[in-house]
Amino acid sequence: METLSSLADGFAIALTFENLLLALLGCFLGTLMGALPGLGPANGVAILIPIAFSLGLGPTPSLILLTSVYYGAMYGGRISSILLNIPGDEPAMMTCLDGYPMAQQGKAGEALSLSGIASFVGAFFATCGLVLLAPQLVKIALLFGPAEYFVLFTLAFATLGGISSTNQAKSAFAAAFGLGIAMIGSDSQTGSQRFTFDEIHLFDGIDFLIAIVGLFALSEVFIFLEKHRGGSVGHSGDMKIGRLLPNLSVLKRCIPTMGRSSVIGFISGVLPGAGASLGSFLSYSLEKQTVDREGKTFGKGDPRGVVAPEVGNNAASGGALVPMLALGVPGSGTTAVLLAVLLQLNITPGPLLFQKNPDVVWGLIAALFIANFMLLALNIPLVGLFTRVLLVPTRILMPVVAMVSFVGIYSITGSTFDVMLMVGFGILGWVLRKLDVPLVPIILGILLGNEMEVNLRRALTISDGDWGILVGSPLVLILWAVAIIGFVLPIFLSRRVKRNMEAARPSEEIAAGD
Amino acid sequence: MSDRIFGAVGLALAAFYIWAASIIPNSFMVDVIGPRTFPYIVGTIMALSSLIFIFRPSGEPEWPAVRELSEIAFAAAVMFLYGWVLPELGFVISTIFATAYLTWRLGTKPLASLVTGLATSVGIYVVFHLILGLSLAKGPLGF
């Protein structure tokens, strides 16, 4: 009951003219960014944070704008998967398998609207799940002391690579690198200058936005330059959409699929280190095993093969918001970027968020429901508009992306040093991507570094310097166990999972992070 | 091989980091573990994972040929230059050239690139500065 009344308050906040407009704008931009290969949800949100911030939007409106972008990008990813067999972002990879064959059979419109409905169902279910689950998780999280938090952060890093991560040493390096960057600047506890070498620009530390925009958005520009891929993704010839509305009987046949995939997607979103890509992968594989055991229709344009991964990916992206909001620990790249939004607005995520800023949380959740309806409306009748975007050549698009990133960073910091630092991060991001070092742990390290250290120091202050406090309660032991399993398991399992996912992946390279 | 080099660089970085942590000055405020412990832990993890790269390197990435590499180096140089001249020339002029360069290198014809640069620059200026009120670099001409 309490939850329902909080939600009603949330709707009162979200239903103002400004917030509705921002949600619509976010949905629109998000779908665009999701549709364009090379601009995933993480990049899209990263570029828009500094802009939302320097526009002087308050916490709730900024969050509404940016999470609408996040949801929108998850919808948009499917468009180029279906029409061109190129996933617009990583989670949309599995949608290619049956979406593209459907388009080849002249049923592109049907596939697009079915997957639009599927996205809606997945996201709607996940948002309901968020409403129910997040407050429960908050109750548990309120029992956490500094030691538990320190271990929780460790767990987040340990599991971030997920089950498909092939090289845990590289994930560990990336996390340590990010944490190391976070230490630059004056120490929050004692005020000592650390790693600044008397360089005045470093006294306040390195702004995480600079690192995020550089590592994600600019490194993408370098990848495009390297590959000389300046042409447009689509050709007007391939883009025949055909009849838009699916058969009612087809839709009916997909209902059980939607139910199963919502649950799987949501769970993989909530679990640490799984995220939307794994959500869509698991949904698709399970669906294939359930309804098409002989492999007769899946992969050849079965509508259920389009619905399952789309439901899974959108349910997972809603599910991923649960740990981010309730614990302050994001499990995926894009939720890490959303965490950056909160930190930039001086809001500490985690259980206290629900107590101190209930308006922010519930306004955001209400906005997600509204955004979801907007997205359904945008994505079915207007899908033709978004397919046009695929005709814009990247040789024009990528420079614009770079310039908008520069504008965003310059407008919040007003410093050319920071602009150059961002270029440095862009190059670093390119090199690290070449070396197969994941970028998300770096971002998470920069974001959580100080909070993690503060918790460690608080815990040791409480125990008067006894490191035993880190293994001193049943709760920490459970967290350690999950962290260790999450870190070690992929070393044995990853090859199998990765191979299955690779087998499904089209050869084209796609944006990092989900 | 790339992984081994990366490991060596990582090890050097870790060593530098630990050294830099060891010279963090003490402050008049003190807590139990001080400002150096956590950086030491971080540096150690960096060093250990670098050792793994050296001893168990994974597959070689596809490095681009010299031509692509210089492409990236030039683009990065143009972006650095962009950051540097931003306050001297102002947003609009710098952006025209930076965008035109990138567009050209991604395969647009020179004249068309200049037009794209102009359109992008003016477009961003109008949308972000005139309509949304973001502060952009002001040059001698005021824009």
Side-chain angles (χ1 to χ4, degrees):
Chain A
M1 245 12 256
E2 199 190 329
T3 311
L4 275 184
S5 75
S6 312
L7 191 60
D9 291 343
F11 271 103
I13 295 164
L15 284 169
T16 62
F17 179 70
E18 189 201 13
N19 289 343
L20 284 177
L21 199 67
L22 284 170
L24 186 65
L25 182 71
C27 292
F28 183 78
L29 287 175
T31 313
L32 277 187
M33 290 176 175
L36 290 164
L39 261 183
N43 293 348
V45 179
I47 297 171
L48 288 179
I49 300 175
I51 289 169
F53 192 66
S54 44
L55 284 176
L57 294 179
T60 318
S62 322
L63 268 179
I64 288 177
L65 173 70
L66 294 164
T67 40
S68 306
V69 172
Y70 171 55
Y71 265 36
M74 292 295 172
Y75 269 73
R78 75 192 205 285
I79 297 175
S80 64
S81 300
I82 291 173
L83 290 176
L84 305 167
N85 204 20
I86 301 168
D89 49 24
E90 209 178 332
M93 205 165 77
M94 306 303 294
T95 314
C96 293
L97 297 183
D98 278 279
Y100 187 61
M102 270 185 89
Q104 283 176 319
Q105 294 157 20
K107 291 192 282 190
E110 216 181 315
L112 283 171
S113 57
L114 255 182
S115 57
I117 296 168
S119 301
F120 174 80
V121 172
F124 186 81
F125 179 86
T127 316
C128 295
L130 171 67
V131 170
L132 295 175
L133 190 61
Q136 307 311 317
L137 202 57
V138 164
K139 282 185 197 143
I140 300 173
L142 284 171
L143 304 173
F144 282 22
E148 281 81 5
Y149 263 106
F150 175 75
V151 185
L152 182 68
F153 288 140
T154 315
L155 185 155
F157 284 113
T159 55
L160 197 58
I163 204 89
S164 61
S165 147
T166 37
N167 196 330
Q168 292 294 52
K170 284 187 175 163
S171 305
F173 182 86
F177 187 73
L179 290 171
I181 293 174
M183 298 297 105
I184 298 172
S186 62
D187 173 23
S188 58
Q189 306 283 294
T190 63
S192 312
Q193 288 295 334
R194 298 196 286 183
F195 308 105
T196 54
F197 305 104
D198 293 328
E199 172 64 55
I200 198 150
H201 292 296
L202 294 176
F203 280 14
D204 286 335
I206 290 177
D207 192 328
F208 47 78
L209 285 180
I210 297 171
I212 292 177
V213 179
L215 287 175
F216 281 161
L218 273 192
S219 73
E220 197 64 43
V221 176
F222 288 122
I223 296 264
F224 271 84
L225 273 167
E226 178 200 346
K227 308 262 181 225
H228 286 291
R229 283 194 314 200
S232 63
V233 194
H235 308 282
S236 40
D238 318 338
M239 314 277 278
K240 296 246 168 9
I241 293 178
R243 200 167 61 100
L244 255 185
L245 284 181
N247 249 323
L248 267 184
S249 63
V250 174
L251 196 60
K252 221 184 244 165
R253 213 149 51 93
C254 293
I255 290 174
T257 308
M258 289 183 183
R260 283 189 289 266
S261 305
S262 295
V263 177
I264 296 169
F266 182 71
I267 293 172
S268 33
V270 174
L271 288 181
S277 305
L278 201 75
S280 67
F281 170 71
L282 286 179
S283 307
Y284 184 86
S285 327
L286 189 99
E287 204 49 38
K288 192 174 169 181
Q289 269 166 25
T290 323
V291 299
D292 181 34
R293 213 164 285 168
E294 289 95 41
K296 272 187 193 143
T297 51
F298 267 54
K300 298 188 184 92
D302 190 317
R304 287 168 297 186
V306 177
V307 167
E310 273 308 304
V311 174
N313 127 27
N314 286 275
S317 47
L321 290 174
V322 174
M324 199 278 278
L325 287 173
L327 304 174
V329 177
S332 71
T334 321
T335 43
V337 178
L338 287 173
L339 179 74
V341 183
L342 289 173
L343 295 176
Q344 181 75 18
L345 294 161
N346 272 329
I347 297 172
T348 315
L352 292 179
L353 177 66
F354 281 73
Q355 295 181 329
K356 279 193 195 151
N357 308 75
D359 53 320
V360 174
V361 182
W362 294 105
L364 169 68
I365 293 175
L368 288 177
F369 278 113
I370 297 167
N372 211 4
F373 280 100
M374 287 178 171
L375 280 165
L376 186 67
L378 277 178
N379 270 277
I380 295 194
L382 295 182
V383 76
L385 183 72
F386 291 110
T387 57
R388 293 282 159 74
V389 182
L390 297 175
L391 297 173
V392 176
T394 46
R395 60 171 191 271
I396 294 181
L397 193 79
M398 288 326 275
V400 174
V401 168
M403 291 305 142
V404 173
S405 320
F406 283 121
V407 166
I409 292 299
Y410 187 84
S411 68
I412 48 164
T413 65
S415 134
T416 52
F417 175 83
D418 288 340
V419 170
M420 293 189 207
L421 192 61
M422 183 175 81
V423 181
F425 271 110
I427 298 172
L428 183 71
W430 179 78
V431 174
L432 292 176
R433 274 165 86 160
K434 282 274 145 192
L435 289 166
D436 219 8
V437 177
L439 301 179
V440 177
I442 303 184
I443 300 293
L444 203 61
I446 300 175
L447 287 173
L448 295 182
N450 288 309
E451 199 59 23
M452 191 170 174
E453 188 195 11
V454 166
N455 278 299
L456 176 67
R457 286 162 84 167
R458 269 191 210 139
L460 287 166
T461 307
I462 292 170
S463 73
D464 206 19
D466 176 13
W467 289 80
I469 191 171
L470 295 181
V471 288
S473 79
L475 209 48
V476 267
L477 288 175
I478 295 172
L479 291 171
W480 274 120
V482 177
I484 292 169
I485 294 170
F487 189 74
V488 175
L489 206 59
I491 297 176
F492 300 107
L493 278 184
S494 71
R495 211 157 290 157
R496 250 185 70 200
V497 178
K498 191 90 185 173
R499 199 174 47 224
N500 290 347
M501 279 173 98
E502 278 313 318
R505 178 199 287 266
S507 58
E508 203 62 31
E509 259 192 64
I510 40 178
D514 60 25
Chain B
M1 197 58 212
S2 296
D3 259 24
R4 293 220 159 108
I5 297 171
F6 176 51
V9 173
L11 208 55
L13 187 70
F16 172 74
Y17 196 81
I18 290 171
W19 167 77
S22 70
I23 58 163
I24 293 171
N26 270 323
S27 136
F28 60 93
M29 290 182 286
V30 192
D31 67 344
V32 180
I33 64 169
R36 282 181 292 271
T37 313
F38 194 68
Y40 282 149
I41 300 175
V42 168
T44 313
I45 295 173
M46 234 190 284
L48 287 178
S49 40
S50 300
L51 284 176
I52 297 178
F53 304 148
I54 293 177
F55 290 110
R56 297 200 57 189
S58 55
E60 190 71 5
E62 262 177 57
W63 289 107
V66 181
R67 222 183 108 218
E68 278 81 28
L69 215 55
S70 58
E71 195 73 77
I72 288 169
F74 273 110
V78 166
M79 288 184 198
F80 272 116
L81 199 68
Y82 174 74
W84 189 51
V85 299
L86 210 45
E88 316 289 330
L89 295 180
F91 173 80
V92 174
I93 298 174
S94 333
T95 306
I96 292 174
F97 288 110
T99 316
Y101 176 81
L102 291 177
T103 321
W104 173 52
R105 290 320 306 160
L106 281 164
T108 316
K109 296 202 173 69
L111 196 65
S113 313
L114 217 55
V115 175
T116 313
L118 190 70
T120 309
S121 178
V122 173
I124 292 180
Y125 188 78
V126 169
V127 174
F128 289 102
H129 184 71
L130 298 183
I131 300 180
L132 296 175
L134 258 61
S135 65
L136 301 174
K138 275 199 178 65
L141 302 174
F143 51 77

